[in-house]
Amino acid sequence: YNVSLPKNTNISGAFLTGVNSPEMKYYNSGEKRIDEFQVMSGSSEQKMGRLFRTQLSLSSYHKWGGFMMFSQYDHNQKEIYEDIYCDEERNLYVHQYLNGGTSEKFVIYGELQLNLIADKLKWSGSGQYMHTKQHIGYLNTLGAWKANTSLTYFNKGWQCKIDYTTKRKFLQATGETLIRPQRLTLSVGYIVNNWSFNLYSNNPLMKSSVKTESHRRNGYTSISDSYKPRTDYNMFAMRVSYRFTYGKKHKFENVDID
C-alpha cells in the first residue's frame, strides 16, 4: 500500500509471504569429510520453509533535503540450521543440518539528507539497528548497529563522492555470526563531450577481512577470516567510456488535434 500526504510526504508498507527451498548441498543422506576432525552430514528429507514479512516506511523530501524511516519484521519457519556435536567414538565433530528451526528479525532504519549547496553538494547520514532471534535447539540472539555517511558533489561535469560505512554484524541462518569490516569508497568522475572518466577506490591503503564466528554450547568454537585484496580492500580502478548514437535523424512537427 502507498499513501501520499501533503508536503511531499509518503507512507508505504507491505505484507509478504512465500517459501524458501533448501539449497541442494543440504540434501545429503551420507557424510562429507571437511578435514581430519570434522564431517558434514545432511538429510534427504529437508522441508521447505515459509517466510512472513511486514514492512512500513515514512519518507518526506523538500528543497533543503529530506528524511526516511523504515522498519521491517521477518518470521521464518522450518529454517535449516546447523547442529554440531562431538562423536567421541570416532574422535571428531559432526556438522548436522537439521530442519525445523524458526528465526525472527526486526530492523529499524533512519536516514537524513541535507542539500548543503543547492544542486551541487549533498550530505546524507543513516543508522540501522537489527535484532535477530533464532530458535535452533537453543536460543541464539544478536543485536547490531550499523551507520553510514556520504558526501556527494556534482557541478559542470564533475561528480565526486566519499562514502563510509561502519563495521556490521549479521546472524546467519545456520547460526554463525558474520562480521563485515568498515568500508570506505572514493569516487571522482568527469564528463565532457560524451567522454566519461572515473577513478574509484574501495578501502584504499588498508587491510580488512570478513570474519565468521561460531560459538556452540558444547565447546566447539570456529573463527575464520576471509581476505580479498584488490577486491574488498586496496582496490583502485579507472574507467573511460565514450557515448555515441547512430541512425537517421527525424524531424517532428506539432500537429493540432481537435
Side-chain angles (χ1 to χ4, degrees), residues 14-204:
F15 175 78
L16 307 96
T17 182
V19 295
N20 294 324
S21 299
E23 297 181 37
M24 289 303 298
K25 64 180 180 180
Y26 299 130
Y27 287 98
N28 179 20
S29 57
E31 290 184 347
K32 181 179 179 181
R33 182 166 290 275
I34 301 176
D35 53 35
E36 183 180 358
F37 302 102
Q38 301 179 94
V39 295
M40 181 176 66
S41 175
S43 173
S44 59
E45 299 181 355
Q46 299 290 7
K47 299 178 182 179
M48 282 191 176
R50 180 168 291 276
L51 165 69
F52 297 94
R53 172 178 296 170
T54 180
Q55 298 174 340
L56 177 66
S57 66
L58 168 67
S59 61
S60 182
Y61 295 97
H62 310 272
K63 291 184 178 180
W64 57 265
F67 67 90
M68 182 186 70
M69 297 293 294
F70 173 82
S71 63
Q72 176 177 307
Y73 172 75
D74 288 0
H75 183 85
N76 290 274
Q77 297 177 346
K78 296 181 181 179
E79 196 168 41
I80 293 178
Y81 65 94
E82 183 185 41
D83 181 50
I84 303 175
Y85 67 92
C86 180
D87 188 336
E88 297 182 357
E89 293 183 358
R90 295 188 292 172
N91 194 29
L92 49 78
Y93 280 103
V94 179
H95 297 249
Q96 187 176 21
Y97 293 99
L98 303 178
N99 186 281
T102 61
S103 67
E104 299 174 89
K105 181 173 66 176
F106 175 73
V107 179
I108 184 168
Y109 172 87
E111 179 180 334
L112 175 66
Q113 295 183 6
L114 297 177
N115 296 324
L116 302 180
I117 301 178
D119 299 327
K120 290 183 180 181
L121 185 63
K122 181 179 70 174
W123 173 87
S124 70
S126 65
Q128 174 183 290
Y129 177 75
M130 179 187 299
H131 183 79
T132 309
K133 182 188 296 184
Q134 295 178 334
H135 303 270
I136 50 177
Y138 63 97
L139 183 61
N140 191 19
T141 61
L142 175 66
W145 287 90
K146 181 184 76 170
N148 172 269
T149 183
S150 66
L151 192 65
T152 307
Y153 174 80
F154 37 89
N155 184 32
K156 295 181 179 179
W158 286 99
Q159 298 176 353
C160 308
K161 184 175 183 179
I162 178 171
D163 187 279
Y164 175 75
T165 303
T166 60
K167 182 173 68 172
R168 55 257 191 228
K169 294 183 178 181
F170 306 92
L171 197 58
Q172 300 190 111
T174 53
E176 299 173 326
T177 301
L178 183 69
I179 305 173
R180 295 194 176 276
Q182 59 182 354
R183 184 182 64 192
L184 174 66
T185 58
L186 305 172
S187 177
V188 178
Y190 184 69
I191 299 176
V192 57
N193 296 330
N194 293 330
W195 283 97
S196 177
F197 304 89
N198 184 266
L199 295 175
Y200 177 83
S201 180
N202 184 24
N203 281 359

Side-chain angles (χ1 to χ4, degrees), residues 172 176-179 210-214 222-226:
Q172 300 190 111
E176 299 173 326
T177 301
L178 183 69
I179 305 173
V210 177
K211 178 177 291 187
T212 304
E213 295 183 354
S214 178
S222 174
I223 300 176
S224 63
D225 288 276
S226 173

